Amino acid sequence: MSLLAHNMTTGTAQIGVTGLAVMGSNIARNFARHGYTVALHNRSVTKTDALLDEHGSEGNFVRSETIPEFLAALEKPRRVLIMVQAGAATDAVINQLADAMDPGDIIIDGGNALYTDTIRREKAMAQRGLHFVGAGISGGEEGALNGPSIMPGGPAQSYEALGPMLETISAHVDGVPCCTHIGPDGSGHFVKMVHNGIEYSDMQLIGEAYQLLRDGLNLTAPQIADVFADWNNGELDSYLVQITSEVLRQPDAKTGKPLVDVIRDEAEQKGTGRWTVKSALDLGVPVTGIAEAVFARALSGSVAQRRAAIGLAAGQLADAPSDPARFTEDIRQALYASKIVAYAQGFNQIQAGSAEYGWNIKPGDLATIWRGGCIIRAKFLNRIKEAFDTDPNLPTLIVAPYFRGALESAVDSWRRVVSTATQLGIPIPGFSSALSYYDALRTERLPAALIQAQRDFFGAHTYGRIDEPGKFHTLWSGDRSEVPA
Ligand code: ATR
């Protein structure tokens, strides 16, 4: 154990971290590496000591075993970052801390909390004179250590005391920190949730592109790795495309086969994608790309149904595409177009959430802080930032000039991919629903008029007319004349 581990000076630490599993440890090390004195605490002291043993020399740490000892080590107002399991554990730790803290102290929850829990907790802490900041942190283990993207909500006043530290340890792109105050109470965790939803969608679309290359063109995993590496040099330049290439190139030590070929094809989830879709349903925002991605994971894990359906007839299938290079380029375009739709939908959900809760979130700021550190970091986030800078009230990203141009130049390829995949019997829920969304938005008259008439027929739910204001009802079981509702 390093000498610093035994530095029991009280009141000198600028930040305390409690919950020293992988994410918590790495964030604590990140603070220490940037010159902050970091008080350490974990429910069981073994994790604290393990961190000090392995990394105690990286900076100034203050070891503590109990919460009073931990709080005594911090300068005031105290800043305590909680990195424990979301849910009941977070509530337990918040209450233990709050009981021992003083008015003006700041509790930061850096876990993946549900934003409604954050709203509740912030209110409860405010009543006790404490500041509560729900901060979304993205970037996984590596991001936590070397610079994550940080999305802090909570009172603006607490950001003054906290923001500079969080900005220092966050990732930076072009000298700009990937951290900014998102808005009041649960806004930080809300945008982190939607970020994760977009991540689900991005991964599903990449998965579909991979399957089309594998089953449509019979390419091997290393060959597909080359395709993704090539794509990563262009508009698709992003962390997820880059790691896809690395994953596909990885051989399995046991069999010598590509690792991806020996991994069970059942995707798991921790729940943030599902939360995103549930919230979108409540807000009435069609995040079809995210929903398809969440359901696609659920379908992959529906083992009994999949087993029962093996051998069902595919019908007459088309031959493999005759021009592999052209089909590969079509897939690239379809991936890019579908990805734009997924982000457009996610940003609509953020705008709707912001309006619902009065958060005043600036979508352009989000695009800025997602450019580095986080899992969905991608070159094209610069374009999203530009789009919202030009028009902060953009109704949908897909009509911003850059994205409109990108979609219009991709749409022929996109249609070819969706129809070819259908004829090859390859499932592409993400690509096809994104294209349907695009087509639906640009369609002048949707079949919703018929739905309104049906609703009026069986439930007298009334309808609006295209040529007159007001609501109307047809006397369906009477003489079928129309009456004002
Ligand atoms: P990871 O997924 O990175 O392992 P996690 O499961 O989200 O992390 O969180 C684990 C952390 O939450 C651990 O620090 C754990 O403390 P222990 O090391 O003592 O197990 C902490 N934790 C879980 N439940 C807790 C509780 N009820 N009170 C305090 N800390 C708790």
Side-chain angles (χ1 to χ4, degrees), residues 19-23 42-44 47 83-86 88-89 92-93 96 270:
L20 299 173
V22 182
M23 287 293 286
N42 193 66
R43 177 177 58 177
S44 49
K47 278 203 177 71
M83 294 297 295
V84 305
Q85 243 162 18
V93 174
Q96 286 164 22
K270 276 196 167 173

Side-chain angles (χ1 to χ4, degrees), residues 109 111-119 134-137 151-154 182-198 272-273 275-285 287 290 345-361 366 370:
D109 176 14
N112 261 335
L114 182 59
Y115 71 96
T116 46
D117 285 344
T118 305
I119 293 173
I137 302 181
M151 296 150 248
I182 304 295
D185 56 69
S187 58
H189 278 136
F190 181 86
V191 299
K192 171 61 172 31
M193 174 190 76
V194 178
H195 162 287
N196 283 25
I198 293 172
T272 44
W275 289 348
T276 310
V277 178
K278 281 186 181 172
S279 145
L281 289 171
D282 289 338
L283 292 166
V285 182
V287 291
I290 301 171
Q345 294 179 340
F347 273 94
N348 274 159
Q349 181 169 357
I350 287 166
Q351 288 168 312
S354 180
E356 170 79 16
Y357 292 100
W359 285 327
N360 199 19
I361 295 173
L366 280 186
W370 287 349

Side-chain angles (χ1 to χ4, degrees), residues 247 258-266:
V247 165
L259 178 65
V260 70
D261 291 342
V262 298
I263 294 179
R264 293 173 77 96
D265 61 341
E266 294 160 26

